[in-house]
Amino acid sequence: MGEDKKQKFSAEEMEIKIDYENIDVEEIMNQIKRKIASRPAQEIEQQEEETRNDYRETIPPPLTSPPGGLRSKMRRILLKLMRPFAPLIKLMILPVDEELRETVENLDYANRRLDELTERLHQEANRIGRLESKIDLNHQLVNERLELAFKDLGRAKEYTKLLHQLTHNLVVEMTKLKIEKDHLKIQSRILEKDLAFLNRREKEVEKKVFS
Amino acid sequence: MKIAFVVQRYGMEINGGAELHCRWIAEHMKKYYEVEVLTTKAYDYITWENYYLDDIEEINGVLVRRFPVARPRNPMRFGRIQQFVFHHEHKIDDELKWLEEEGPLAPALIKYIDQHRADYDYFIFFSYRYYHSYWGIQTVPEKSILVPTAEHDPVVYLRIFKELFSLPRAFIYNSEEEKNMIQRVANNSHILGKVVGVGIEIPSSWPTQQVLEQRGIASDYLVYIGRIDENKGCDKLFQYFLKFKERTNYPVKLVLVGSTKLTIPHHPDLIYLGFVSEEEKFAILQGALLLIMPSFYESLSMVTLEAWALEKPVLANAHCEVLQGQCQRSQGGLYYENYAEFEETLKLLLEDDKLREILSQNGRRYFESNYTWEVIEQKYNYIISKLEEEKENK
C-alpha cells in the first residue's frame, strides 16, 4: 500500500503492542478494548449514534409509500374488537389441564433458559474478575514505574543543580583569569620599556667607555 | 455402502450455504460410498416454489432424486407465525405449524425415505431447521446423521428441536461453538459428534489483474462476499465503513460481491459488483487487503475459509460466536463488537503490513490443517466407521 497515500495516525493512537513472533489475536483485542475503555463512554455512544444517523442520510428515500391494504385494516379492527374477549376465547379453545401442562412445560423451558443465562452470567463474572486482577496488576506495575521515574527525576534535579553551580564557578574563575591576564600584559609592557631603556643606556655607556 | 444426502435444495445454480456444503461433501464422498441426494424441486429459498422439472438427474456424477414441494411458502404468513412463535408463549403445535410454513413442505420426500429406508445405510441430513430434516430424522432416527448448520438464533431454542437433537445417531458440526450450543440446548453430549465443517474448492487459476481492470478497481480495497442483507450485518457494515471513511479519510474502498436485498448507500467508496463467477470472486478476493465478515449468524462461513485459503486476513463481527472463535483458533483475523472497535481494528490492519502478513499466514495454516478435502473426508469416514463399529457391537 502506497506510503504517501496513507493518512498516518499518531504514535499515541497506535499504541497497540504486538509480539510478531507469537501473535495472539485475543491479546491484541484485549489491548484494543482497554484502549477504547479508557475513552469517555459518552464519546463511544455518540460515535455509535452518529454512524446510524450518517447512514440514514445516505440511503435514498423509497419511491412509493408502503401499501396500507383494506384487508389488514379490517384485520386490525377485528382484532381490536375481539381483544376484551380474548381470555374467554382462550379458555374455550384450550382445556385447563392442557393449559396447565403447557404452563409447566413453559416454566421448565424458562428454567432451562435461566440456567443457561445464569451460567453465562457466572462466566461473565469470572471474566470480569480476571480483568479486575489484570487491572490491579497493571496498576501495581504503573505505580512501580512511576516510583522509578520520580527517583530518576530527583537525581536529574540534583545533577542540574550541580551543573548550575559548576557553571557559576567556571564564570568566576574565567573572570579572575581575565584580570590576571590583563595584569600580566601590563607588567610585560613595563618590562619591555625597561629593557628598551637599559638597551639605550648600554649603548650610551659603551660609547662613553670606548670613545 | 449406500448413503443418502438429504437437503432442502440442490443444484449447480445454488452457490452458497448448507446446499453448496452438501453438494461438495456428496461429490467428495462418492469415491468412498455409493451416494445419492434426496431433495426437493425448489430453487428459491424464500418461496420454495417448484423449479426443477426432472424427478431424477445426475449432477457431477451424483444421482439426485427430486420431490415436489406440495405448497410454496407464503412469506407474509410465515413472518406472522414466526413473530408469534419467537415472541409469545405458544404450544408445540404452533411450532409445528411454523415448521410446516418454514418448509420446504415435501411430504413425498419423507414418504420416500420411509419406504426406501432399507435401501440406504445412512441418511445424512443437512440443516436441522427445515421440514425435511425434522420429519426425515423422525422417520429414520436409527440411520440418520445430522449436519445441523445451526446459527445462534431463536430457532435453536424452539422446543421441537430439543427433542429432535436427541434422535440422530451422530452429529457433524461446523464449529466448536455450534457443538457447544446444541449440546447446551439439548443436553445430548452422549451422542457421537465431531466438528468437521467443509473443504473449499479453489479454482486452479484466476486472472486477478484482468478482473480488477475490467471492474475498474484501481485502489486498495476491502471486500465483503456474500448475500447483502440485514441478517448478514451488511447495514451495520455500511454504517461503520462510512463513519470510518468520514473520520479517518483513509484511501480505501469497500467492494461488495453478491446479490443484494438492501439498498446500498450512494458513496464513491462503496463499489457494488453484484453476482460474479467463481474465478472472478477469487480474483477479487486475491486483490483485496482483507475480507470483512459482518454477519451476526454464521455456522461456518465458507467465504472466511476461502479468504484464509488465499492468505487474506479477516475482520469479523464478534457478535457471531463462530466467527470470533474461528479468528481466535486460527489467529488469522481480528473482530469487532461496535464502531469504536471496528475503527481501531481496521486501522490496525490497514496500517500494520506485518500484522496482516502474519495473520494471513496463520489463516492459511489453519485452513490447511482443518479444511482441506483430505481432512474433511477422513473425518466423515471416521464418523461412518464409528457408527459401523457400534452396529457390529450391538
Side-chain angles (χ1 to χ4, degrees):
Chain A
M1 140 162 267
E3 282 292 310
D4 52 332
K5 283 196 286 177
K6 280 185 207 170
Q7 179 185 324
K8 283 283 176 193
F9 299 97
S10 68
E12 188 192 290
E13 273 192 316
M14 296 295 290
E15 62 198 358
I16 309 295
K17 288 191 186 92
I18 298 168
D19 177 5
Y20 292 104
E21 296 300 308
N22 190 18
I23 287 278
D24 183 354
V25 164
E26 232 176 318
E27 173 52 31
I28 296 172
M29 288 310 303
N30 284 341
Q31 287 189 52
I32 290 173
K33 279 175 198 293
R34 273 201 296 272
K35 189 177 166 186
I36 293 167
S38 66
R39 293 182 199 158
Q42 263 182 335
E43 187 190 314
I44 296 165
E45 277 168 25
Q46 196 186 336
Q47 270 179 13
E48 276 298 319
E49 184 56 32
E50 278 172 10
T51 57
R52 280 190 286 274
N53 293 340
D54 293 352
Y55 174 64
R56 272 185 219 120
E57 283 164 21
T58 57
I59 293 289
L63 294 173
T64 52
S65 56
L70 187 69
R71 236 177 99 184
S72 63
K73 215 173 189 178
M74 289 286 286
R75 198 170 170 272
R76 271 203 304 276
I77 293 167
L78 212 65
L79 282 172
K80 215 173 183 180
L81 286 173
M82 280 165 63
R83 198 172 293 155
F85 308 104
L88 187 68
I89 295 168
K90 211 177 169 187
L91 192 72
M92 280 163 70
I93 60 170
L94 205 69
V96 174
D97 63 327
E98 198 184 337
E99 195 165 23
L100 186 69
R101 193 178 55 79
E102 282 292 311
T103 312
V104 171
E105 262 183 30
N106 286 339
L107 278 172
D108 173 57
Y109 181 62
N111 273 337
R112 279 168 189 269
R113 293 288 306 276
L114 277 173
D115 287 345
E116 195 208 320
L117 288 172
T118 316
E119 197 188 321
R120 276 199 209 171
L121 203 66
H122 281 308
Q123 281 171 1
E124 285 301 312
N126 287 341
R127 230 181 77 193
I128 290 167
R130 279 199 299 275
L131 277 176
E132 273 176 353
S133 57
K134 262 188 189 175
I135 290 167
D136 287 346
L137 190 70
N138 281 340
H139 187 70
Q140 205 180 324
L141 278 173
V142 168
N143 277 344
E144 279 169 17
R145 280 188 191 174
L146 268 175
E147 250 172 56
L148 283 175
F150 277 125
K151 267 184 198 167
D152 284 347
L153 199 70
R155 270 203 297 273
K157 219 169 149 185
E158 288 301 315
Y159 188 61
T160 315
K161 265 187 199 167
L162 283 173
L163 280 177
H164 183 76
Q165 203 140 10
L166 180 68
T167 318
H168 175 75
N169 290 347
L170 280 172
V171 169
V172 172
E173 287 304 315
M174 293 281 275
T175 316
K176 274 156 75 178
L177 283 172
K178 172 97 172 42
I179 294 164
E180 186 84 4
K181 187 192 96 182
D182 290 345
H183 178 69
L184 286 171
K185 243 184 192 174
I186 293 162
Q187 268 195 342
S188 84
R189 257 187 236 138
I190 293 167
L191 282 173
E192 267 173 23
K193 277 178 189 168
D194 286 354
L195 193 66
F197 170 74
L198 285 173
N199 276 340
R200 279 196 310 273
R201 199 173 162 209
E202 188 190 354
K203 277 176 194 164
E204 287 298 318
V205 172
E206 265 177 14
K207 265 185 204 170
K208 278 190 182 170
V209 169
F210 292 112
S211 63
Chain B
M1 188 181 289
K2 194 172 179 184
I3 293 179
F5 285 83
V6 192
V7 67
Q8 61 272 26
R9 300 183 298 161
Y10 194 90
M12 294 299 287
E13 302 83 352
I14 299 158
N15 49 17
E19 295 88 338
L20 181 64
H21 180 167
C22 174
R23 179 160 71 78
W24 282 354
I25 298 285
E27 286 171 6
H28 277 268
M29 298 315 288
K30 74 173 190 249
K31 60 183 162 201
Y32 302 103
Y33 313 105
E34 192 184 337
V35 165
E36 274 187 21
V37 170
L38 310 179
T39 187
T40 68
K41 291 187 173 182
Y43 168 68
D44 187 329
Y45 69 94
I46 293 175
T47 62
W48 304 121
E49 271 181 56
N50 289 319
Y51 168 83
Y52 296 100
L53 299 173
D54 299 331
D55 291 339
I56 296 176
E57 67 174 307
E58 198 174 293
I59 297 175
N60 289 343
V62 176
L63 186 84
V64 182
R65 293 181 193 277
R66 296 188 187 279
F67 299 87
V69 176
R71 172 165 54 84
R73 184 204 273 169
N74 177 339
M76 290 290 279
R77 190 166 56 224
F78 173 65
R80 274 200 303 275
I81 295 175
Q82 178 154 290
Q83 178 76 9
F84 175 72
V85 167
F86 284 178
H87 302 289
H88 297 88
E89 286 303 332
H90 56 267
K91 297 189 286 179
I92 294 276
D93 285 350
D94 294 319
E95 290 186 3
L96 290 173
K97 210 191 285 173
W98 171 87
L99 181 76
E100 200 176 304
E101 209 55 51
E102 162 96 325
L105 186 64
L109 168 60
I110 308 302
K111 197 172 169 192
Y112 177 87
I113 293 173
D114 191 22
Q115 287 171 349
H116 294 83
R117 62 174 72 208
D119 299 348
Y120 302 92
D121 293 282
Y122 294 102
F123 293 85
I124 302 183
F125 291 90
F126 276 76
S127 297
Y128 78 100
R129 59 163 64 210
Y130 295 112
Y131 181 92
H132 71 281
S133 286
Y134 185 80
W135 292 113
I137 292 171
Q138 310 260 2
T139 310
V140 280
E142 73 287 354
K143 287 187 174 183
S144 60
I145 299 169
L146 178 60
V147 184
T149 65
E151 296 147 4
H152 199 170
D153 59 9
V155 177
V156 82
Y157 292 106
L158 294 183
R159 275 169 283 171
I160 53 172
F161 294 122
K162 207 160 54 173
E163 288 162 23
L164 179 78
F165 290 147
S166 59
L167 292 177
R169 292 278 309 282
F171 279 86
I172 295 175
Y173 298 104
N174 272 342
S175 67
E176 283 294 334
E177 288 75 19
E178 185 193 27
K179 181 181 169 185
N180 294 340
M181 178 180 69
I182 288 183
Q183 290 188 345
R184 207 169 53 218
V185 167
N187 199 15
N188 65 351
S189 50
H190 58 282
I191 300 175
L192 176 65
K194 200 164 174 58
V195 177
V196 181
V198 66
I200 296 296
E201 301 279 340
I202 300 170
S204 51
S205 65
W206 51 84
T208 303
Q209 209 49 46
Q210 195 185 326
V211 170
L212 295 185
E213 275 168 23
Q214 274 172 4
R215 298 284 185 170
I217 305 169
S219 59
D220 291 324
Y221 64 94
L222 322 170
V223 67
Y224 166 76
I225 300 174
R227 226 169 51 228
I228 300 167
D229 73 28
E230 254 176 69
N231 287 339
K232 294 282 177 188
C234 290
D235 54 338
K236 264 274 180 266
L237 172 63
F238 297 153
Q239 288 173 22
Y240 285 0
F241 181 73
L242 295 180
K243 186 77 193 163
F244 178 79
K245 287 294 298 185
E246 188 198 310
R247 276 172 57 85
T248 66
N249 203 22
Y250 210 99
V252 70
K253 292 180 188 293
L254 173 61
V255 172
L256 305 160
V257 176
S259 55
T260 182
K261 300 226 175 295
L262 267 179
T263 313
I264 296 167
H266 294 311
H267 195 280
D269 292 322
L270 285 178
I271 303 173
Y272 173 58
L273 299 184
F275 188 78
V276 300
S277 69
E278 276 297 288
E279 279 79 13
E280 275 187 296
K281 182 180 86 177
F282 278 97
I284 292 159
L285 186 54
Q286 182 76 74
L289 290 174
L290 55 97
L291 173 85
I292 294 201
M293 188 34 69
S295 180
F296 285 82
Y297 303 113
E298 287 295 329
S299 77
L300 178 67
S301 180
M302 280 145 83
V303 73
T304 303
L305 300 181
E306 285 171 349
W308 283 329
L310 263 61
E311 289 194 44
K312 293 287 155 191
V314 172
L315 179 59
N317 185 347
H319 288 291
C320 177
E321 291 161 3
V322 172
L323 289 175
Q324 185 177 339
Q326 296 274 51
C327 285
Q328 287 171 350
R329 279 191 294 279
S330 65
Q331 297 291 328
L334 301 182
Y335 39 87
Y336 61 90
E337 271 181 24
N338 49 34
Y339 174 74
E341 286 182 19
F342 178 84
E343 186 181 303
E344 284 298 328
T345 45
L346 188 52
K347 256 161 47 173
L348 185 63
L349 285 169
L350 292 174
E351 194 73 11
D352 194 336
D353 295 348
K354 195 173 176 189
L355 174 67
R356 266 205 330 269
E357 193 190 320
I358 295 172
L359 292 177
S360 309
Q361 288 163 358
N362 288 346
R364 175 72 196 182
R365 261 197 298 277
Y366 179 70
F367 166 78
E368 278 170 358
S369 53
N370 293 288
Y371 296 103
T372 55
W373 277 111
E374 294 79 43
V375 177
I376 302 293
E377 287 164 14
Q378 272 172 21
K379 287 180 180 173
Y380 266 84
N381 287 335
Y382 167 82
I383 295 266
I384 305 273
S385 63
K386 270 273 170 197
L387 292 179
E388 284 296 289
E389 266 175 41
E390 276 179 26
K391 212 195 282 181
E392 279 167 23
N393 291 340
K394 270 186 185 175

